[in-house]
Amino acid sequence: MVGQGSGGGVGQSMVFAPPASPPNPVALAQARIKELETGFRAWLAKQSMAVEAAVVTATNAAQGAAIGGLLGTLTSDVSSALPASTPNAAGLNPEAIASLKNAQALAGGPLVQARNFAVMAGANAGISSVMKRIRGVEDVQSSMVAAFGSGALFSLVSGMGGPNQAANAVTSGLFFALFQGGLFMVGQKFSSPPAEEVYYSQTRGMLTCLGLQKYEKNFKKGLLTDSTLPLLTDSALRDVNIPPGPRLLILDHIHSDPELTKGR
């Protein structure tokens, strides 16, 4: 701002930026987790297909086991009411025996459910990563192949269905594949394409530290990605409708960050 001095001269008055709101600890934690996740994915993408498949399978199997164990604990009352083994009665209807096996597989205890969910989640994620590496794209075909594999393995491990395990595995795999394919198509139809978050991770961290998270959409609207941060000017920020106060804070943060200033 320019003001008139008492002696008739023209003087300059200082511009003070409004105090920034304190950073939200939850938002800071979320931004940190997002950065770690992005870094892990970048590291995983540099590994061989076998290493990536093994890591993805193991991590998702662990998650599936945890979920299955929790569900098994919640359904322990139902599983305790079922016989531990299939009754060996010559006159029992084979369909009744198959139904009993299905009930045992779906209402087992924590260890049974942990095993079943670990197989489903691990196989699905591992096959998906291999298909994505081979085909270079994650589409409905890859999703259905992964679902078929996880469904077939789930059938073999859980013992669902009748005595013909091979036929049961194929049937379960087809059911899983059709169900997963339908979900994939519905999700593709009703969801908008995800933003390229990886290009704004550093920008998001900077805005979070300054308490200016609400201006992230302005950066995305102007395509001001992480690579443009060292080149930012006041006019560039003004063009994406960021007010003067936040502009001063952003530019001061960039100028005081040695990692950003050396990229100029």
Side-chain angles (χ1 to χ4, degrees), residues 67-182:
I67 296 173
L70 177 60
L71 291 178
T73 302
L74 298 176
T75 59
S76 57
D77 293 337
V78 178
S79 60
S80 61
L82 297 173
S85 60
T86 305
N88 187 13
L92 192 60
N93 190 338
E95 294 182 359
I97 297 178
S99 299
L100 179 58
K101 286 185 176 181
N102 294 342
Q104 290 173 338
L106 296 175
L111 293 179
V112 173
Q113 293 289 28
R115 177 201 63 190
N116 294 344
F117 275 77
V119 170
M120 282 193 297
N124 192 295
I127 298 173
S128 293
S129 67
V130 171
M131 293 296 296
K132 186 175 181 180
R133 279 290 188 98
I134 294 175
R135 304 182 70 244
V137 65
E138 187 174 0
D139 54 9
V140 64
Q141 288 86 356
S142 299
S143 179
M144 292 180 69
V145 169
F148 179 87
S150 63
L153 287 175
F154 169 76
S155 176
L156 294 173
V157 170
S158 64
M160 289 184 62
N164 192 339
Q165 289 294 311
N168 296 333
V170 173
T171 302
S172 298
L174 289 174
F175 174 77
F176 274 59
L178 292 174
F179 183 75
Q180 181 70 18

